[in-house]
Amino acid sequence: MRLIYSKIEQKTGEGTVGLLPEEPEDMWHIYNLIQEKDIVRARAVRRISKITEFGPTSSQRVAFDLEVAVLATDFDIGSGQLHVIGRVAEQNEHAKMGAHHTLDLELNRKFHLTKADGWDSVALQMLREACDVDRRAELWAVVLGPGTANICIITEHQTILKQHIEVPVSRKRRGGVDSHTKGMEKFFSTTLATLLRQMDLTGTSAAKLGKTLPLLLASPGFVAQSFLQHIKDEATRTTNKPLLALIPSIVVAHSSSEHIHALSDILSSPTIASKLSDTKYARETALMDQFTTLMRHDDGRAWYGPREVERAVDKGGVGRGGGVLMISNALFRAQDVDERRRWVKLVDRVRDIEGGEVRVFSSLHESGKRLEGLGNIAAILTYPIEDLDDEDGDLDEGDQEGDMII
Amino acid sequence: MPPKSGFSRTRNIDYDDDDAYDDDYYGEEEAEAETTADDKEQMRLGTIRVREALGEFEAGVGDSQIHEALWHYYYDVGKSVTYLKNQLGGVQPPRDAPAPKKEKAMSKFDQAASAAVQKAPIPAGTTPKKKRNPTANTEKLAQSVGNLTVDEPRVKSKNLNVVDEFEKSGMKRMANFVVVGHVDHGKSTLMGRLLYDLKVIDQRSIDKLRKEAENIGKSSFALAWVMDETSEERSRGITVDIATNYFQTDRTRFTILDAPGHKDFIPNMISGSSQADFPVLVIDASTNGFESGLKGQTKEHILIARSMGMQHIIVAVNKMDTIAWSKSRFDEISKRMTTFLTDASFLEKRITFIPLAGLTGENVVKKVDHPAADWYTGETLLEALERVDLPQRNLQKALRLSVADVFRGDMRSPLSISGRIESGTIQVGDVILALPANETATVKAIEIEDEPVDWAVAGQIPTLHLADIDPVHLRQGDIVCPVNAPVKLVKAFSSKLLAFEHVLPCPVEVFRSTLSSPGSVRTLSAKLNKFTGEVVKKRPRIIKPGEVARVVVVLERELPIEEGMRVVIRERGRTIGAGLMEHVA
């Protein structure tokens, strides 16, 4: 995303920025930036009907700049489209004040954003990240098992499931493995066809930019290897040049299951991590792993859940020397302004006063989804604090003998 | 013409024929009304001949029915008689049979019969055609219409009382066992040996496998290849999916489920274990073999088997030949495993240890004949298998079958499924409900151990050949149940969970017998006392291995899970817990 101008008051945080989204992923950033009540100014198209005494005579589409106060946003992850629903905030000849209008923000079309509540530190951080022009890592990944495959694209801030494939493959049966073999062949060819359609190797987008995104194949067992073999065979058989060119950039990895959440353990495996070492995703995954390891040790240095983490911060546990606050950006999208303020305050406090590290996880990544399970917020503390959850202590668990209830 | 959509979807034979009707349907509608003298004469003669042919059935048949049948079959007496007999055969049996399942099967039959009756008017629209082309067309049409009815999946239920039949049959004990253990501990080889020594596999097949194995330089794998049949399994030398095989002794019919030992294929192992009554744990006794297994899958397999509710376990201490039948090693392994197994709450008296050698076959079927092994005088593996007590079968409960495989059985049945009947009974002609698709199907035929049978009961692993269902509606992990006693579809449920590893709220894979689905542990509701089930701590932040807790599990989509069903929960390739479904959350 390009920052065209920024007029933000340092002290109060009030002000407006002009932005130009350039990549589909920018839509995701914008979705995270825009809050309820913010003012968005962008190109709008409205159909205007001319009304004479004899009723409406003609209608025409008029494009003009329109300013709306946001009521809601609607983001479609798959297609990367963002609709901003709002009421007209600045009257002009075509649109009355207060009339409803839905702005479709588009790529390569600039818009202006004014924060109703001022630009807080989290919003500014997001803006910085969104306008970071460094080439970001992107890769395609296929997580597959016998009969099921998930094709997804992993970008800096998103994991987007492009297609889920299920082909019935019968299992091996006594005295006849033909149907199993046939089923697997059909599954591979379906998956490959779908993958090629999704990746669009010959199409404009990738070819024009002259880049081939790496492809990661992951599965439990040998399915990924067999699939790679299938790709190679197909590429030679059909002499598909783009596909042949892709083969060197294919990485085969091991995953624990064929489900998409297995991506988190693929990306934390050393071989893959070294290839992606500096992506946000890899860092987040590593942090989540560190967190769960500490949870297992159960020494009171890892806590999750809103109340527990807030208490830990109050007690100065998330500070200099290893304190990490992990928070999902889902919390900053809160409809409730107070709710958002609560988390921004917490982030500011940890970062500026306590001196701890703050990581904002993308809720679209698997690591973010794991965090979501923990209540969207978790913290690694610098020293153990016990009993942050104010439950009565453990009741006595008598070591009785007998049959277990399970 | 009756609306097609209703049944033509399930009877694909309709498609072809309907086209033929549609072509000349409109132009000839007027002609239809006139029944010619010719027709009347034919009808009269036909009626008389049908009456004669019907014989004893004749009483229940009205003239109108005969007329209709004759009209339908173009005065083909033979076909009409069969049709009428079938129809009567279905209606006449006493309807006072109490079992609700029977009534249901009956109603399906009635439906099929009435469908056939409804169908009869359809060809009426085309009949005038034969007036114009008296010979060729009539024959062709008659044939196609005849096929239409003959091929209809009209499955006759014998309306058996399966429970009585089962008790009368005096069948041998049925035992299904799953062979578990760490990878390369010799599970498949041991089973290959067992089948070979019992002459289930003949010498010629073994010789052939041996030759093939030698060709790729893996001669020791020949016995395992009895179970490992896919090219991938053979070239890599490991089992990937469950292999099923059968053998019987004087007392018992056994089904072997040979599970893969590799950690990547634990989902298959879970699916296999869910179909078994007890596990046979294979342990490699050789130096380091046992230890690497303990670090690997041995423990996980035991915990999964236990959490499936299995009570008995046979531990086959394998590869004793490689350590010269060392008694001390056997004792050491027995001691360590006993400790572990009792911790996993197997009762000590229900654990059997047997030293054996799968590759050479000592102590598998025949007793060991080795001087170094004279210290062992106990049972062989086969004797131990015979001795295991089997769990009670739930014949009286509603039918529950978890689909382990969906495949094309053969030409006659486009769709077949197999899986263990967890409770209840099933017979040919039953109408079943497949969940979560919520589609019904008719059981056309049942096979057990590749033999056709009329019924199957809980504990058996039948193959069901189905009719009246599209393959898209069935997949592995579905539940088959009676139409009148379906399993509820559940999106989230509360479960009593025994943790094997640390459990945090996180994305997991949920296994319920043959079903595997992504999902997540949403909340840790409470930590429970292991023995009394009382709440020890509300909302714990983590559950440690060995603790029992109540957790809420959310599934990605609605799936059939019932109270009391056992679930296994895995995260990132490790089994983190197993539990009982308590109630819908």
Side-chain angles (χ1 to χ4, degrees):
Chain A
M1 194 144 56
R2 212 157 63 203
L3 186 66
I4 303 169
Y5 69 89
S6 150
K7 283 186 249 173
I8 298 175
E9 187 89 23
Q10 280 288 334
K11 248 186 189 160
T12 57
E14 276 165 28
T16 308
V17 293
L19 292 167
L20 180 73
E22 290 171 314
E23 284 179 50
E25 182 155 76
D26 293 339
M27 288 300 166
W28 166 247
H29 291 300
I30 299 167
Y31 171 59
N32 279 305
L33 271 175
I34 297 180
Q35 290 288 127
E36 202 180 331
K37 297 200 182 96
D38 289 357
I39 308 287
V40 178
R41 184 183 183 82
R43 202 77 177 155
V45 178
R46 262 179 104 93
R47 206 176 61 192
I48 309 293
S49 23
K50 276 200 184 113
I51 300 172
T52 62
E53 300 158 38
F54 311 109
T57 51
S58 67
S59 78
Q60 64 186 127
R61 292 160 70 81
V62 183
F64 53 93
D65 277 356
L66 187 65
E67 209 168 271
V68 299
V70 179
L71 287 175
T73 49
D74 175 21
F75 181 59
D76 179 19
I77 300 166
S79 61
Q81 280 182 327
L82 179 63
H83 309 291
V84 179
I85 300 149
R87 304 181 98 141
V88 175
E90 188 198 53
Q91 188 156 347
N92 64 17
E93 51 177 318
H94 300 302
K96 283 213 183 82
M97 190 79 173
H100 280 264
H101 188 89
T102 301
L103 287 172
D104 298 336
L105 296 184
E106 284 170 50
L107 287 184
N108 297 316
R109 182 149 305 158
K110 68 176 180 194
F111 70 96
H112 313 265
L113 174 63
T114 312
K115 280 281 196 198
D117 212 32
W119 291 82
D120 52 39
S121 64
V122 172
L124 285 173
Q125 175 69 32
M126 272 182 198
L127 192 63
R128 254 195 305 280
E129 255 175 43
C131 299
D132 182 8
V133 287
D134 285 349
R135 185 66 244 130
R136 304 180 183 101
E138 266 184 46
L139 80 154
W140 285 91
V142 184
V143 191
L144 68 171
T148 51
N150 293 291
I151 298 177
C152 44
I153 183 160
I154 303 171
T155 64
E156 184 83 14
H157 300 276
Q158 292 168 290
T159 303
I160 304 166
L161 175 66
K162 288 287 190 181
Q163 185 91 51
H164 174 75
I165 299 164
E166 252 178 71
V167 175
V169 176
S170 62
R171 302 169 70 176
K172 75 170 183 186
R173 303 194 57 75
R174 205 155 63 92
V177 292
D178 281 2
S179 66
H180 174 76
T181 321
K182 254 187 218 155
M184 283 306 278
E185 259 166 37
K186 185 162 169 256
F187 166 60
F188 282 151
S189 62
T190 314
T191 310
L192 181 58
T194 318
L195 178 66
L196 291 180
R197 199 163 56 241
Q198 291 290 348
M199 288 180 81
D200 193 18
L201 286 175
T202 50
T204 44
S205 55
K208 202 163 60 188
L209 295 167
K211 61 172 183 182
T212 342
L213 295 182
L215 171 62
L216 173 71
L217 306 178
S219 77
F222 320 110
V223 186
Q225 279 102 316
S226 314
F227 185 50
L228 177 61
Q229 193 54 49
H230 177 84
I231 294 178
K232 282 181 180 162
D233 293 348
E234 275 302 295
T236 6
R237 195 175 61 80
T238 56
T239 56
N240 181 338
K241 282 227 176 83
L243 187 55
L244 280 167
L246 174 73
I247 287 170
S249 59
I250 297 179
V251 185
V252 172
H254 176 268
S255 72
S256 60
S257 78
E258 67 269 28
H259 306 304
I260 192 157
H261 63 235
L263 271 175
S264 63
D265 57 88
I266 303 164
L267 293 170
S268 58
S269 80
T271 41
I272 303 299
S274 67
K275 284 187 209 278
L276 304 163
S277 54
D278 217 27
T279 59
K280 186 175 158 72
Y281 196 139
R283 286 196 307 266
E284 286 175 5
T285 308
L287 260 179
M288 271 315 285
D289 285 350
Q290 196 192 338
F291 174 79
T292 34
T293 318
L294 282 173
M295 275 308 291
R296 280 198 200 106
H297 292 325
D298 197 27
D299 62 352
R301 288 222 291 142
W303 285 93
Y304 66 86
R307 272 186 312 153
E308 286 84 352
V309 171
E310 272 179 330
R311 274 192 207 125
V313 174
D314 280 345
K315 293 191 176 177
V318 194
R320 260 167 216 91
V324 185
L325 175 69
M326 291 173 280
I327 186 162
S328 164
N329 59 10
L331 287 182
F332 299 122
R333 284 200 301 270
Q335 295 292 313
D336 185 353
V337 178
D338 288 341
E339 184 74 10
R340 181 185 158 99
R341 270 203 206 116
R342 173 183 172 194
W343 301 122
V344 173
K345 229 170 78 193
L346 189 72
V347 167
D348 285 349
R349 177 165 174 194
V350 170
R351 186 159 42 206
D352 303 333
I353 302 171
E354 308 282 342
E357 193 184 342
V358 177
R359 289 280 183 196
V360 180
F361 281 42
S362 168
S363 62
L364 282 186
H365 277 322
E366 283 311 311
S367 47
K369 294 211 172 111
R370 276 165 77 191
L371 190 60
E372 192 186 322
L374 302 173
N376 277 326
I377 186 163
I380 298 174
L381 314 192
T382 42
Y383 62 92
I385 306 178
E386 298 296 339
D387 298 328
L388 283 173
D389 47 347
D390 53 355
E391 275 295 333
D392 335 325
D394 288 73
L395 305 170
D396 265 347
E397 191 180 346
D399 229 8
Q400 300 157 336
E401 281 300 316
D403 267 339
M404 267 204 279
I405 48 172
I406 289 188
Chain B
M1 222 169 159
K4 265 195 286 184
S5 56
F7 42 83
S8 65
R9 188 154 44 97
T10 49
R11 285 170 210 163
N12 14 16
I13 191 85
D14 277 0
Y15 292 133
D16 306 342
D17 296 308
D18 280 345
D19 288 346
Y21 306 146
D22 288 346
D23 284 345
D24 20 45
Y25 186 72
Y26 294 102
E28 288 149 355
E29 209 155 352
E30 298 161 35
E32 182 199 347
E34 309 161 16
T35 322
T36 57
D38 238 15
D39 275 338
K40 278 183 188 152
E41 179 57 22
Q42 264 188 302
M43 185 66 91
R44 197 182 59 80
L45 288 172
T47 312
I48 294 165
R49 280 162 64 195
V50 168
R51 284 239 177 255
E52 278 166 12
L54 273 175
E56 51 171 322
F57 288 96
E58 192 220 11
V61 189
D63 268 357
S64 59
Q65 271 173 294
I66 298 178
H67 285 190
E68 200 174 353
L70 280 170
W71 185 247
H72 183 100
Y73 290 108
Y74 303 97
Y75 312 113
D76 183 321
V77 174
K79 277 177 187 160
S80 304
V81 170
T82 335
Y83 167 78
L84 287 168
K85 272 187 181 165
N86 276 344
Q87 208 181 15
L88 285 172
V91 181
Q92 270 179 349
R95 301 210 71 177
D96 49 3
K101 201 162 50 168
K102 282 183 195 165
E103 259 173 55
K104 179 203 73 227
M106 183 86 78
S107 71
K108 175 70 186 176
F109 178 75
D110 284 350
Q111 219 179 317
S114 67
V117 173
Q118 270 181 10
K119 236 178 240 233
I122 307 173
T126 60
T127 39
K129 196 169 180 178
K130 70 186 173 182
K131 295 287 155 338
R132 274 170 237 160
N133 309 317
T135 48
N137 248 329
T138 315
E139 264 170 36
K140 203 177 99 199
L141 269 174
Q143 207 178 357
S144 75
V145 173
N147 285 344
L148 176 112
T149 334
V150 170
D151 280 4
E152 240 172 43
R154 188 190 291 159
V155 187
K156 251 203 201 163
S157 173
K158 291 191 180 168
N159 285 324
L160 303 168
N161 184 338
V162 177
V163 178
D164 284 354
E165 290 286 325
F166 171 65
E167 275 157 13
K168 263 191 288 174
S169 69
M171 210 190 262
K172 286 184 193 173
R173 296 185 335 143
M174 297 165 299
N176 314 319
F177 64 91
V178 61
V179 192
V180 299
H182 189 60
V183 65
D184 280 341
H185 277 199
K187 295 177 293 301
S188 301
T189 305
L190 179 61
M191 286 307 113
R193 165 59 70 179
L194 184 64
L195 291 172
Y196 174 48
D197 285 355
L198 287 166
K199 308 274 186 292
V200 178
I201 307 293
D202 56 36
Q203 185 65 41
R204 234 181 91 234
S205 321
I206 288 287
D207 287 344
K208 189 165 153 259
L209 289 178
R210 235 176 224 143
K211 206 164 154 238
E212 281 170 28
E214 265 161 28
N215 282 346
I216 63 163
K218 290 180 177 170
S219 53
S220 67
F221 281 91
L223 282 168
W225 284 9
V226 172
M227 310 302 279
D228 297 348
E229 290 183 285
T230 67
S231 59
E232 189 158 61
E233 288 177 324
R234 290 188 176 177
S235 62
R236 295 187 194 269
I238 63 166
T239 310
V240 171
D241 205 348
I242 292 283
T244 316
N245 228 316
Y246 319 102
F247 69 89
Q248 47 179 306
T249 59
D250 297 335
R251 279 183 61 209
T252 318
R253 298 158 75 113
F254 286 101
T255 303
I256 304 173
L257 298 148
D258 181 35
H262 193 279
K263 66 174 191 314
D264 277 3
F265 308 119
I266 288 203
N268 295 338
M269 180 264 167
I270 295 175
S271 140
S273 305
S274 70
Q275 303 181 60
D277 299 318
F278 64 93
V280 173
L281 173 70
V282 179
I283 287 180
D284 181 354
S286 64
T287 329
N288 287 328
F290 169 58
E291 286 75 10
S292 71
L294 275 187
K295 278 192 222 113
Q297 269 56 61
T298 305
K299 283 184 177 176
E300 195 173 358
H301 279 196
I302 292 170
L303 290 173
I304 291 170
R306 183 66 189 88
S307 56
M308 293 280 175
M310 298 186 218
Q311 307 271 342
H312 285 266
I313 185 166
I314 296 176
V315 183
V317 183
N318 197 13
K319 309 196 187 179
M320 287 301 284
D321 50 335
T322 61
I323 51 161
W325 296 88
S326 154
K327 183 175 190 305
S328 61
R329 178 71 173 169
F330 176 74
D331 289 343
E332 182 202 340
I333 291 173
S334 310
K335 205 173 132 225
R336 285 180 67 181
M337 285 317 297
T338 307
T339 324
F340 183 74
L341 287 166
T342 44
D343 281 352
S345 76
F346 278 101
L347 292 182
E348 204 167 335
K349 60 176 184 203
R350 291 180 182 159
I351 310 172
T352 315
F353 287 92
I354 302 162
L356 49 77
L359 197 61
T360 49
E362 285 133 325
N363 261 350
V364 179
V365 175
K366 46 185 187 286
K367 287 220 185 291
V368 57
D369 181 26
H370 193 284
D374 50 9
W375 51 268
Y376 184 77
T377 50
E379 306 161 302
T380 62
L381 176 62
L382 189 66
E383 285 162 0
L385 287 172
E386 285 268 33
R387 205 172 46 85
V388 172
D389 290 333
L390 295 172
Q392 199 62 39
R393 317 281 186 200
N394 284 323
L395 299 191
Q396 303 291 353
K397 283 198 192 157
L399 171 72
R400 294 290 181 263
L401 182 150
S402 188
V403 178
D405 193 11
V406 180
F407 56 99
R408 234 192 122 87
D410 59 17
M411 291 308 287
R412 282 162 299 147
S413 61
L415 187 65
S416 307
I417 56 172
S418 71
R420 174 189 163 97
I421 303 182
E422 279 152 31
S423 65
T425 61
I426 193 165
Q427 60 179 309
V428 173
D430 276 359
V431 176
I432 52 164
L433 185 69
L435 289 169
N438 205 12
E439 290 282 330
T440 56
T442 313
V443 179
K444 246 171 92 177
I446 303 178
E447 274 178 31
I448 286 174
E449 297 172 18
D450 301 332
E451 299 288 332
V453 291
D454 287 336
W455 45 265
V457 296
Q460 292 180 312
I461 307 177
T463 296
L464 307 181
H465 299 296
L466 302 181
D468 301 344
I469 191 166
D470 192 286
V472 297
H473 297 310
L474 273 165
R475 60 190 57 187
Q476 190 193 328
D478 284 1
I479 280 202
V480 162
C481 52
V483 180
N484 56 2
V487 180
K488 277 203 195 75
L489 294 184
V490 171
K491 177 85 201 228
F493 62 92
S494 156
S495 158
K496 223 184 274 171
L497 189 84
L498 170 64
F500 302 150
E501 304 260 347
H502 291 87
V503 179
L504 279 171
C506 59
V508 291
E509 276 173 89
V510 184
F511 292 85
R512 188 230 64 220
S513 72
T514 54
L515 172 78
S516 128
S517 160
S520 62
V521 173
R522 193 174 58 193
T523 33
L524 314 177
S525 317
K527 198 150 85 182
L528 306 178
N529 182 303
K530 253 188 184 181
F531 306 104
T532 59
E534 283 165 28
V535 173
V536 177
K537 183 176 161 67
K538 275 188 195 153
R539 303 193 78 83
R541 62 186 201 115
I542 190 162
I543 302 164
K544 283 176 236 157
E547 290 178 339
V548 175
R550 179 168 292 128
V551 300
V552 176
V553 178
V554 184
L555 299 166
E556 203 180 61
R557 59 196 166 97
E558 288 197 324
L559 291 169
I561 294 189
E562 228 176 6
E563 282 81 2
M565 284 187 176
R566 289 170 184 275
V567 290
V568 173
I569 289 176
R570 308 190 82 225
E571 186 221 356
R572 309 180 93 188
R574 289 177 327 222
T575 304
I576 58 170
L580 283 174
M581 145 82 169
E582 281 190 318
H583 54 82
V584 179

